[in-house]
Amino acid sequence: MRIMPRRRVELSYRELGGAFFRVFSAGSKKRRALVAEFERKFADFIGARYAIAVPSFRTGLSFFFDSSDFAKGDEILLPALNYHVVPAILKNKGMNPVFVDIDPETWTIDPQKVEEKITDRTKGLIALHLFGQSCPMAALRDVCRRHNIFLIEDVAHACGGRYHGKKLGSWGDLAFFSFGTGKALVAFGGGMITTNDENIFLRMKKRIDGLRLPWGVLSAKSFCGALAETVFTRKILFSFFIYPLAWMIS
């Protein structure tokens, strides 16, 4: 029997050092060019027209609802097995998260249960691809089109995955990705939004470009966090030192 770890940071010290040098040796203009290059390549990789880099998944999701046509009181369907931040953001924006049961075989949202939850106030659906498992996107997209529901993909845990030969993140009206150290594609934090809608792209791009972020502080924090996770999640160190210490503290 092969043991599959719940979480393991797959970064070499060479990758860490190279990223550190490339980011901190670049000026503001060069850093923006690196981000723009990443956006173009990522859009091509996913098969979407546009990609917008965001400081984090939750920041991108929050900004999207701030600049979208969603209104207070709108209902957003999402799987009951979810990250607590997502429904919290919806509540913060005045919308109502409506939880839908998952398929016990795939652990992703059940399209048949989605139909049962739709009301006159249902405006959006968030399809979470979990543990690398894809949601049944063909069925979900069909439901959303019939009921005029905006389809959002949460691809934080399935970057690079496919459904019926098509990349996850290219099925919905909008998709969100996360690049933390526990994800399939690691960029020491941050995230990405993909879409084929030019209006969404322009609104989001304007919002993101207007941010004033302390890049040096954020980069240093991300690098140090990634280095600590890389070291402390090594099998021997975590099993015999970190886990027992965390257990005693708790």
Side-chain angles (χ1 to χ4, degrees):
M1 181 179 69
R2 182 182 180 187
I3 298 175
M4 300 296 290
R6 178 182 180 276
R7 176 183 176 87
R8 182 172 61 201
V9 180
E10 294 290 355
L11 284 174
S12 68
Y13 295 113
R14 180 179 179 181
E15 287 174 312
L16 281 165
F20 180 85
F21 176 79
R22 193 175 188 195
V23 171
F24 282 94
S25 64
S28 176
K29 187 175 181 180
K30 176 65 174 177
R31 192 176 292 122
R32 289 187 179 278
L34 288 172
V35 173
E37 180 187 3
F38 183 31
E39 289 173 330
R40 290 193 300 271
K41 290 183 176 180
F42 193 81
D44 290 340
F45 173 69
I46 296 299
R49 290 180 64 190
Y50 307 106
I52 310 110
V54 291
S56 68
F57 174 99
R58 66 189 70 183
T59 302
L61 186 63
S62 179
F63 282 1
F64 166 68
F65 284 117
D66 286 341
S67 59
S68 69
D69 297 326
F70 288 89
K72 291 184 177 181
D74 287 347
E75 293 179 352
I76 310 296
L77 305 179
L78 67 165
L81 179 60
N82 214 310
Y83 185 40
H84 67 92
V85 166
V86 177
I89 289 174
L90 297 177
K91 293 290 289 184
N92 179 260
K93 304 302 178 185
M95 291 174 285
N96 297 322
V98 177
F99 296 105
V100 181
D101 281 340
I102 61 170
D103 182 333
E105 295 295 323
T106 64
W107 291 36
T108 62
I109 196 166
D110 188 333
Q112 292 184 345
K113 299 292 177 62
V114 167
E115 294 267 17
E116 299 171 6
K117 295 285 187 175
I118 294 175
T119 69
D120 293 339
R121 308 211 67 162
T122 304
K123 302 299 181 183
L125 184 151
I126 300 177
L128 168 60
H129 307 296
L130 192 60
F131 307 136
Q133 286 272 69
S134 166
C135 294
M137 292 309 299
L140 291 176
R141 189 169 65 177
D142 179 61
V143 171
C144 289
R145 284 177 175 175
R146 282 191 284 109
H147 295 277
N148 194 28
I149 296 173
F150 193 88
L151 179 57
I152 299 172
E153 291 181 78
D154 179 345
V155 205
H157 290 274
C159 181
R162 296 174 182 268
Y163 179 77
H164 290 182
K166 187 177 179 181
K167 283 280 179 63
L168 302 180
S170 63
W171 282 87
D173 299 298
L174 189 77
F176 289 87
F177 297 81
S178 180
F179 303 134
T181 50
K183 304 301 189 295
L185 178 59
V186 177
F188 311 104
M192 192 76 77
I193 298 170
T194 58
T195 183
N196 290 318
D197 189 311
E198 185 177 13
N199 290 328
I200 293 176
F201 168 74
L202 293 176
R203 288 200 302 265
M204 291 296 299
K205 195 67 176 171
K206 182 179 180 180
R207 183 69 185 270
I208 297 300
D209 288 346
L211 292 177
R212 294 291 181 267
L213 297 173
W215 289 106
V217 174
L218 290 176
S219 299
K221 182 180 177 181
S222 298
F223 174 80
C224 292
L227 180 61
E229 286 190 73
T230 303
V231 172
F232 294 137
T233 57
R234 297 301 183 190
K235 189 173 182 179
I236 297 298
L237 188 61
F238 183 83
S239 300
F240 293 101
F241 296 99
I242 304 303
Y243 182 80
L245 179 62
W247 182 83
M248 286 188 289
I249 292 173
S250 67

